Amino acid sequence: MARERSHNDSSVTAELRTLHSPDLSDLRKGPNISDNFCILIQALIGPHGGSGEESFGFTVCTPKWLSENLGENEFLFARHYLLVSAYDYDLIFRVINSLCKSVSGLSWREVALKLSRYGSWEFEDYRSE
């Protein structure tokens, strides 16, 4: 797990370190069809100015993909989804980076729990014994 800040600053904020996808070898290039796709993007995020990072997963897709993959009278719970009109690496990075900058808390765990409302946190259901 990422370490919390050790100095006297009582507010911890998040910092986006990098993006990765098991679905694409080159995130900057993107998928073959930019307006019709669904991929997992993992954001590695840690405490700003601190050490460590943890993974938050975002299913990034387009409305066109949703439309073509949801049958009539079907539904989708959309937690941990990021909808974009077309693939744009810079936009996706900016959006997730802005999210990180907007979240703060008294501890890294508090920040990570807030981020987990948007991306699936690797430690979301972790319970220490």
Side-chain angles (χ1 to χ4, degrees):
M1 289 184 136
R3 294 179 183 245
E4 295 178 24
R5 289 180 168 195
S6 60
H7 60 307
N8 292 332
D9 187 352
S10 62
S11 182
V12 177
T13 57
E15 178 178 32
L16 175 58
R17 306 273 164 74
T18 189
L19 296 178
H20 163 78
S21 177
D23 298 331
L24 288 175
S25 59
D26 184 353
L27 272 178
R28 291 204 177 268
K29 182 179 176 191
N32 292 334
I33 303 172
S34 69
D35 69 342
N36 189 354
F37 70 91
C38 183
I39 60 171
L40 173 65
I41 290 185
Q42 296 166 309
L44 298 180
I45 302 170
H48 182 75
S51 62
E53 58 193 26
E54 296 169 5
S55 177
F56 293 81
F58 297 85
T59 300
V60 180
C61 63
T62 60
K64 186 174 183 177
W65 183 89
L66 283 174
S67 174
E68 291 182 6
N69 288 276
L70 281 179
E72 191 173 321
N73 298 320
E74 290 187 19
F75 63 92
L76 169 72
F77 289 108
R79 186 171 186 217
H80 302 150
Y81 274 69
L82 173 58
L83 297 175
V84 295
S85 57
Y87 189 84
D88 180 339
Y89 173 83
D90 293 329
L91 172 68
I92 293 166
F93 188 93
R94 273 194 323 271
V95 167
I96 296 173
N97 192 41
S98 292
L99 172 65
C100 290
K101 289 180 178 184
S102 73
V103 175
S104 65
L106 297 177
S107 68
W108 169 249
R109 178 164 176 74
E110 185 179 330
V111 171
L113 283 170
K114 289 177 182 178
L115 288 171
S116 73
R117 296 175 187 150
Y118 300 92
S120 176
W121 180 30
E122 67 179 312
F123 295 110
E124 188 168 343
D125 294 322
Y126 176 78
R127 303 266 190 259
S128 61
E129 300 301 322

